[in-house]
């Protein structure tokens, strides 16, 4: 055996000196091509031995890589809940911050620090420190350095020389591959030996003395979990048990924590107590989860969520999502992170909520059990609609102050519901009065608008002045909703006045039309034209008989006046005489195409002499005009 070892050592020295080539398990004499490969290898090896930065980087890579292979196999599951705890690795020179939700492992090595200084850091952390301290000893330094250099030099030579085609070159490459494999195996063996000598410490400086590195790390992690999450046991339960708690809480069970063996008040359970404390003046679901999943709790998310749902279902918490209250029984795990929570100091009984729903119903809001808080914004909006529905622009009353509504708007959560319950009768009475006023406004506004239209058409009628003045008084005094309807009789009075005025003006128009037709019938030119020409002329000059109108209803009366008001009808009666003259002129032109219209002189005659003088002037003018052809006197 001793001889074999001596032979192996001698062969290795011959290989190092370049006299032999190792190809697999065989040793062969060096060839010319092999010698070139060996010179390349030795040159790279010399450069690497002088490159401390590269050697340090490579040494740390393999040392920490070997340690990571052990750490990567450690998965810590805490308690019955099997809560996964991840290991965060730090290789910084300064002590890292301890993660709030997982374990932190700080790794240092004897090449960059001393064991004493590292252990002193652990001692300063104290017995409550959860950080795990891992120290890699400075062992087999020379052998590790040589193995790292040899493996790197062989690999770089292979990379530089590539894949030769000649048999000697291929043999030289196989020899270098054998060197690389041997150096890599030696390096891995040394790294493995150093890793097994790694020492593990905990806060306070106590060293783990388990048999293997894996056992040391697992034991340290278990101990650090107890240090990091000292209150974990308060929420430690099987996932199936927390699922059962969640279901019972959503269903509104009196004892949702019964699957955990707890039968006390909901708010008394340790997780619920801490949830209430964490919320404080208000918090988001994400904030609650983050606080209670971190140290010193580390509680499973299912436990936190089940407590939140139970507290919300029992009214100890109020929740809003996108500005809207979440109804009882409507909170689930998907909504929790997006919701905002507030601790409720007031708890409503079943009877209290029944009263609240009664008030909602009186205001026109349907609400099921458990929806009282979610429907509160709808209720306040309904009160505002009632307030404005019975008020508005004159003649309606102006919207009055409603202090109670302002008070309700300033409240939220159970405080709002409690106020609604306490003022239930007042709110119901107010809602009833507002609804009656709104109904009365809906009934009277159409009549008011019609009366206003009547007043517009009757503005020029002296007999309507008093009624119009009284309508103005109703408008200015906002008296439309008074107990006595002031508008209806004024509307009837104005309608009667307008019907009478419309009858008078229509009679005047009909009379003027009749007299005009009689004048046409007596005219010689009119008699000479055909019936067809007469009809055409009458249409052209708009000398048609007025149509009969039925104005028995107020709507029909307004329609008639809107289509043609009193002033227009009077003007039409006045225009009849002119239309008659126009018709006569058109008839005369048909019988005498050259006829010319002559207007007589307009004058004021005060005496017989004036009359005779006027007649003399007209005679002279007409005699002069008739010499030029037929004339039509206008």
């Amino acid at each position: 055996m001793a001889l074999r070892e001596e032979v192996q050592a001698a062969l290795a020295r011959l290989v190092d000196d370049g006299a032999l080539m190792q190809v697999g398990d065989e040793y062969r004499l060096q060839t010319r091509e092999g010698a070139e490969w060996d010179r390349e290898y030795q040159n790279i090896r010399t450069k690497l031995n002088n490159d401390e930065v590269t050697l340090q980087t490579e040494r740390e890579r393999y040392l920490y890589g070997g340690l990571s292979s052990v750490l990567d196999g450690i998965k810590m599951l805490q308690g019955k809940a099997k809560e996964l705890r991840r290991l965060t690795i730090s290789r910084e020179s300064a002590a890292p911050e301890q993660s709030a939700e997982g374990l932190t492992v700080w790794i240092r090595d004897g090449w960059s620090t001393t064991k004493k200084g590292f252990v002193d850091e652990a001692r300063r952390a104290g017995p409550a420190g959860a950080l795990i301290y891992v120290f890699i000893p400075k062992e087999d330094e020379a052998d590790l350095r040589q193995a790292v250099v040899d493996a790197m030099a062989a690999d770089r030579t292979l990379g530089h020389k590539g894949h030769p085609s000649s048999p000697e070159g291929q043999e030289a490459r196989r020899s270098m591959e054998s060197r690389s494999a041997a150096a890599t195996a030696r390096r891995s063996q040394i790294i493995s030996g150093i890793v097994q000598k790694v020492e593990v410490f905990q806060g306070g400086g106590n060293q783990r003395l388990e048999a293997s590195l894996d056992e040391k790390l697992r034991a340290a992690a278990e101990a650090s979990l107890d240090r990091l999450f000292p209150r974990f046991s308060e929420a430690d339960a099987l996932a199936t048990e927390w699922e059962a708690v969640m279901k019972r809480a959503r269903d509104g069970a009196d004892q949702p924590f019964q699957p955990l063996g707890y039968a006390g008040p909901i708010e008394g359970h340790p997780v619920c107590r801490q949830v209430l404390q964490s919320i404080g003046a208000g918090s988001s679901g994400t904030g609650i989860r983050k606080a209670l999943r971190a140290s010193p709790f580390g509680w499973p998310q299912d436990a936190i969520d089940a407590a939140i749902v139970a507290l919300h279902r029992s009214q100890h918490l109020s929740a809003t999502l996108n500005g809207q209250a979440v109804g009882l029984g409507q909170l689930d795990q998907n909504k929790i992170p997006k919701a905002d929570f507030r601790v409720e100091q007031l708890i409503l009984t079943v009877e209290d909520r029944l009263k609240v729903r009664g008030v909602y119903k009186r205001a026109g809001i349907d609400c099921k059990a458990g929806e009282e808080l979610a429907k509160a914004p709808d209720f306040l909006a309904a009160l505002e609609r009632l307030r404005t529905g019975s008020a508005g622009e004159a003649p309606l009353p102006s919207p009055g102050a409603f202090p109670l509504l302002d008070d309700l708007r300033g409240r939220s959560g159970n405080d709002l519901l409690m106020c609604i319950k306490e003022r239930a009768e007042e709110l119901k009475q107010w809602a009833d009065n507002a609804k009656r006023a709104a109904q009365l406004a809906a009934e009277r506004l159409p009549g008011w608008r019609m009366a206003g239209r009547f007043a517009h058409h009757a503005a020029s009628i002296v007999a309507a002045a008093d009624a119009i003045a009284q309508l103005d008084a109703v408008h200015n005094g906002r008296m439309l909703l008074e107990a006595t309807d002031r508008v209806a009789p004024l509307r009837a009075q104005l309608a009667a006045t307008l019907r009478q005025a419309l009858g008078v003006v229509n009679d005047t128009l009909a009379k003027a039309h009749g007299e005009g037709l009689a004048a046409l019938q007596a005219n010689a030119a009119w008699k000479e034209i055909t019936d067809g020409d007469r009809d055409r002329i009458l249409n052209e000059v708009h000398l048609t008989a007025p149509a009969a109108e039925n104005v028995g209803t107020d709507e029909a009366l307004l329609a008639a006046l809107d289509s043609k008001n009193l002033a227009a009808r009077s003007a039409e009666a006045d225009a009849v005489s002119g239309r008659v003259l126009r018709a006569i002129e058109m008839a005369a032109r048909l019988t005498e195409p050259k006829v010319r219209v002559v207007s007589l002189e307009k004058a004021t005659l005060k005496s017989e002499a004036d009359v005779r003088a006027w007649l003399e002037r007209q005679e002279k003018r007409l005699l002069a005009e008739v010499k030029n052809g037929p004339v039509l006197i206008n």
Side-chain angles (χ1 to χ4, degrees):
M1 181 65 70
L3 178 59
R4 178 183 294 275
E5 291 177 354
E6 289 180 9
V7 170
Q8 290 289 344
L11 289 171
R13 285 195 298 273
L14 289 171
V15 170
D16 288 341
D17 292 341
L20 295 178
M21 289 190 303
Q22 182 179 359
V23 181
D25 295 333
E26 298 179 0
Y27 293 89
R28 302 176 184 178
L29 290 175
Q30 186 66 276
T31 64
R32 182 180 61 80
E33 185 75 17
E36 291 182 6
W37 280 65
D38 186 67
R39 281 194 295 274
E40 178 75 13
Y41 168 76
Q42 295 298 340
N43 288 337
I44 295 174
R45 196 162 173 261
T46 300
K47 291 178 182 178
L48 287 173
N49 271 313
N50 294 321
D51 188 351
E52 292 299 328
V53 174
T54 299
L55 288 178
Q56 178 184 342
T57 301
E58 288 296 300
R59 180 187 65 242
E60 290 179 355
R61 181 160 73 95
Y62 292 113
L63 279 173
Y64 286 100
L67 183 56
S68 294
S69 65
V70 179
L71 288 168
D72 291 344
I74 298 176
K75 304 293 181 186
M76 299 304 299
L77 299 176
Q78 188 176 10
K80 293 186 292 182
K82 298 187 182 303
E83 193 70 8
L84 177 64
R85 305 300 186 191
R86 302 188 182 278
L87 301 182
T88 301
I89 308 301
S90 173
R91 292 166 48 188
E92 300 297 327
S93 58
E97 292 290 332
Q98 170 60 53
S99 170
E101 296 186 11
L103 297 173
T104 301
V105 180
W106 187 22
I107 305 175
R108 300 287 283 147
D109 61 71
W111 283 267
S112 58
T113 188
T114 64
K115 175 181 174 180
K116 181 181 183 304
F118 192 59
V119 174
D120 286 344
E121 288 277 4
R123 289 196 181 101
R124 280 193 288 272
L131 205 66
I132 299 173
Y133 299 80
V134 175
F135 184 75
I136 304 173
K138 190 176 183 179
E139 297 278 345
D140 301 322
E141 180 181 12
D143 290 345
L144 177 60
R145 179 189 180 93
Q146 194 59 56
V148 169
V149 168
D150 291 350
M152 285 183 67
D155 289 343
R156 290 188 178 184
T157 301
L158 288 168
H160 289 170
K161 300 295 286 184
H163 295 271
S165 58
S166 66
E168 286 188 0
Q170 292 174 359
E171 184 180 45
R173 180 174 178 82
R174 288 196 299 273
S175 174
M176 193 58 63
E177 288 173 347
S178 297
R179 275 187 172 181
S180 174
T184 300
R186 191 164 67 255
R187 183 190 65 202
S188 297
Q189 183 180 11
I190 296 170
I191 291 293
S192 178
I194 295 175
V195 167
Q196 289 306 313
K197 296 176 183 178
V198 163
E199 297 177 278
V200 180
F201 300 88
Q202 292 194 285
N206 57 310
Q207 183 177 358
R208 303 304 314 190
L209 300 175
E210 284 73 16
S212 67
L213 176 59
D214 182 80
E215 291 173 334
K216 293 175 185 177
L217 289 169
R218 289 182 183 278
E222 290 284 355
S224 290
L225 285 177
D226 292 338
R227 296 180 178 192
L228 186 61
F229 304 120
R231 295 185 59 181
F232 178 76
S233 61
E234 297 174 16
D236 187 21
L238 296 175
T240 53
E241 293 174 335
W242 281 119
E243 288 175 6
V245 172
M246 176 72 73
K247 185 178 185 307
R248 289 173 62 84
R250 288 197 64 188
D251 293 342
D254 291 336
Q255 296 293 337
F257 291 93
Q258 192 175 39
L260 304 180
Y262 176 82
I266 291 174
E267 68 276 16
H269 188 277
V271 180
C272 291
R273 282 203 310 270
Q274 192 58 50
V275 167
L276 293 172
Q277 290 178 24
S278 298
I279 291 174
S283 177
S284 66
T286 299
I288 301 170
R289 283 178 175 178
K290 184 176 181 181
L292 299 184
R293 286 187 62 76
S295 179
F297 311 102
W299 290 340
Q301 183 173 304
D302 285 348
I304 300 167
D305 291 351
I308 291 174
V309 171
L311 289 167
H312 179 260
R313 193 65 176 82
S314 61
Q315 307 171 50
H316 289 84
L317 290 181
S318 62
T320 56
L321 184 63
N322 299 323
Q324 300 294 318
V326 180
L328 297 185
Q330 302 302 309
L331 184 65
D332 57 34
Q333 285 186 282
N334 292 329
K335 294 177 182 175
I336 286 175
K338 304 172 186 175
D340 292 308
F341 295 92
R342 193 168 68 87
V343 177
E344 292 291 350
Q345 304 299 330
L346 302 172
I347 307 299
L348 278 77
T349 65
V350 174
E351 291 76 12
D352 292 337
R353 292 181 174 272
L354 189 60
K355 275 190 176 182
V356 170
R357 294 199 296 275
V359 178
Y360 285 1
K361 184 176 182 180
R362 196 68 68 90
I365 300 297
D366 292 328
C367 179
K368 298 177 183 177
E371 295 182 340
E372 295 84 5
L373 195 55
K375 291 285 187 175
D378 295 340
F379 170 66
L380 297 180
L383 292 184
E384 179 61 26
R385 286 195 299 274
L386 288 173
R387 188 176 78 91
T388 58
S390 58
E393 299 293 331
L396 289 172
S398 59
F402 190 9
L404 178 51
L405 177 56
D406 295 335
D407 181 31
L408 293 175
R409 284 172 173 155
R411 299 172 184 262
S412 61
N414 282 2
D415 180 40
L416 170 59
L417 299 184
M418 191 64 76
C419 185
I420 293 173
K421 187 267 296 186
E422 292 172 352
R423 308 286 289 272
E425 294 308 316
E426 180 182 349
L427 286 166
K428 286 180 180 179
Q429 185 62 47
W430 184 91
D432 290 344
N433 292 339
K435 284 191 286 186
R436 281 194 295 269
Q439 179 62 34
L440 189 59
E443 293 172 357
R444 291 187 179 179
L445 275 173
W448 165 260
R449 297 188 185 102
M450 190 171 284
R453 292 169 66 190
F454 282 150
H456 171 72
H457 285 296
S460 61
I461 302 175
V462 175
D466 182 62
I468 293 174
Q470 291 186 56
L471 280 179
D472 288 341
V474 171
H475 177 275
N476 297 333
R478 295 177 174 267
M479 297 183 289
L480 183 64
L481 302 187
E482 286 193 349
T484 301
D485 187 354
R486 296 170 176 264
V487 175
L490 295 174
R491 169 187 160 188
Q493 181 180 340
L494 287 169
T497 300
L498 284 168
R499 282 193 182 90
Q500 182 181 4
L502 183 61
V504 170
V505 76
N506 282 346
D507 289 346
T508 301
L509 176 59
K511 181 180 178 183
H513 183 268
E515 292 175 349
L517 288 181
L520 285 175
Q521 296 297 335
N523 183 267
W526 187 259
K527 292 177 181 179
E528 292 183 15
I529 63 176
T530 65
D531 290 342
D533 287 334
R534 292 191 192 103
D535 291 340
R536 178 179 58 80
I537 292 172
L538 289 175
N539 285 328
E540 286 187 22
V541 301
H542 303 294
L543 195 58
T544 56
E549 292 181 305
N550 179 9
V551 292
T553 65
D554 289 353
E555 290 77 8
L557 175 59
L558 280 172
L561 291 171
D562 288 342
S563 64
K564 189 176 294 184
N565 59 31
L566 294 176
R569 291 168 187 267
S570 295
E572 189 170 359
D574 294 338
V576 168
S577 59
R579 292 173 182 174
V580 169
L581 290 176
R582 176 63 178 153
I584 291 172
E585 179 184 345
M586 293 175 70
R589 289 189 184 280
L590 288 176
T591 58
E592 291 288 346
K594 295 183 179 181
V595 71
R596 291 173 297 110
V597 178
V598 176
S599 297
L600 298 181
E601 176 189 338
K602 293 180 174 59
T604 301
L605 307 177
K606 298 181 180 180
S607 63
E608 184 178 343
D610 290 342
V611 172
R612 292 185 182 279
W614 182 84
L615 288 172
E616 185 178 352
R617 290 194 303 275
Q618 306 315 309
E619 181 183 10
K620 288 180 180 180
R621 183 182 178 190
L622 290 173
L623 288 173
E625 291 289 346
V626 80
K627 289 178 180 180
N628 298 320
V631 297
L632 177 64
I633 300 173
N634 186 1

